[in-house]
Amino acid sequence: MFPNSDGVSMKATFPGFYSIPDSSLKDIWLSDSTLFVFDTNCLLNLYRCEDHTREDIIDVMKEIKPRIWIPFQVGYEYQRNRRKVIEESVASLNKIQCELQNIYTQNILSSGSVKPHLYNSLNEEISQLQETLKTHVEKYVNDKIAPRIASKKSIAEHDTIRDSIDSIILDNIGPIPSQDKINKIDDEGINRYKNKQPPGFKDDAKKSTSFFSNIVLQDKYGDLYLWKQIIEKAKSDNIKNVIFICDDNKSDWWFSYGGKTHGVLEALKTEICQEASLENFKLINQLTFLHESKSYLVNINISDSSLKEVEELTSISITNSKNEKSLKHQALYRY
């Protein structure tokens, strides 16, 4: 036998291949040395969900407020996309309202390429049915759809959601990077993406650039910008654990095998644990974040309807991401 002269264990040598035991999760969640980091989609989801779901999520964020931090890139992407998500939410509700109203306004026979005069009796019966449905549909639209549209429009005028986020994040956000630092990450990104080194290589085809405060950002390196800043933040002496809540479900973040998602890619966990001397790094989606907060935070109670809606938001995000595996409550699967 050849003894390990450096005295380094298997787990210390290969931290990326080891999952956090369930028995340790509560202590990590409650530890003052645990940093919670949110990605952009998690913040934008607050605009996509129902009021009660948003309140549940914000309650959790308030509970862990002193331990929340976001990278500059997350803050920038959130601010840049916030208005777009609000407008998309209003447009979706308007479309739902129109589809409901079509039930009693459209000519059913004509829409089916049937000449109404050939079925006079049927046409009259359908018209009577539509008139009967009109009262019920209008009541539903007035009671359920119109208030939601009004709520979304009021947020467009005065963004109370951003007020809540601002009050939680405060100054716990990464600094604006210098152009020199951005350029160095861009140069590093060329080789990382060429070698399929995560994160961000799935965005390699992006050609667009963004400009903020006299710096030029390559949009394809957005994930790499935030990842590098998370690592720098994790090097702080008082941080031993990082939980990254991420609803970006691409395969340059998550390890999937056999149709199941097992957690963060080994390369990412190895990189941050070694460079920042972390004890634990955990990547979870927003649904798992709510499940775990419900389990480990005594003052938190997440409704089943909120969990269901966040699950649906995750499913929609997955559907819109081509060729990616389902994450949902991915904490069920491990290395």
Side-chain angles (χ1 to χ4, degrees), residues 119-137:
Y119 295 93
N120 287 328
S121 178
L122 178 60
N123 190 42
E124 184 176 342
E125 290 171 1
I126 291 175
S127 295
Q128 291 174 354
L129 174 61
Q130 286 179 306
E131 189 62 30
T132 302
L133 293 173
K134 180 179 178 180
T135 302
H136 299 289
V137 171

Side-chain angles (χ1 to χ4, degrees), residues 256-267:
S256 296
Y257 182 77
K260 297 178 180 179
T261 299
H262 297 258
V264 63
L265 287 171
E266 170 276 320

Side-chain angles (χ1 to χ4, degrees), residues 113-260:
S113 300
V114 177
K115 295 179 180 180
H117 70 272
L118 297 178
Y119 295 93
N120 287 328
S121 178
L122 178 60
N123 190 42
E124 184 176 342
E125 290 171 1
I126 291 175
S127 295
Q128 291 174 354
L129 174 61
Q130 286 179 306
E131 189 62 30
T132 302
L133 293 173
K134 180 179 178 180
T135 302
H136 299 289
V137 171
E138 285 185 339
K139 184 178 188 308
Y140 185 84
V141 168
N142 291 333
D143 291 348
K144 301 296 183 179
I145 306 300
R148 286 177 166 90
I149 293 175
S151 176
K152 298 294 184 183
K153 287 183 175 179
S154 70
I155 290 170
E157 294 174 2
H158 177 193
D159 193 346
T160 54
I161 298 174
R162 183 165 63 175
D163 290 346
S164 295
I165 292 173
D166 287 348
S167 69
I168 291 169
I169 301 299
L170 298 175
D171 60 352
N172 293 317
I173 183 170
I176 301 172
S178 66
Q179 188 65 61
D180 181 60
K181 179 166 285 188
I182 289 296
N183 292 342
K184 288 179 179 177
I185 296 175
D186 292 348
D187 291 340
E188 181 182 346
I190 294 172
N191 287 327
R192 287 180 73 117
Y193 284 18
K194 179 181 177 181
N195 295 318
K196 301 291 188 258
Q197 182 180 353
F201 62 79
K202 298 290 286 187
D203 294 327
D204 195 24
K206 289 183 178 179
K207 304 297 182 185
S208 55
T209 56
S210 300
F211 305 89
F212 178 80
S213 188
N214 296 319
I215 59 174
V216 181
L217 302 160
Q218 303 296 324
D219 291 339
K220 68 179 181 179
Y221 295 128
D223 284 358
L224 190 55
Y225 297 152
L226 69 87
W227 178 244
K228 285 290 188 178
Q229 203 165 58
I230 291 174
I231 292 175
E232 286 303 309
K233 177 66 176 178
K235 292 179 180 178
S236 303
D237 290 341
N238 61 323
I239 297 173
K240 302 301 180 186
N241 317 294
V242 172
I243 295 178
F244 184 28
I245 303 96
C246 176
D247 261 16
D248 184 338
N249 45 64
K250 298 191 299 294
S251 57
D252 53 2
W253 284 104
W254 305 91
F255 171 62
S256 296
Y257 182 77
K260 297 178 180 179

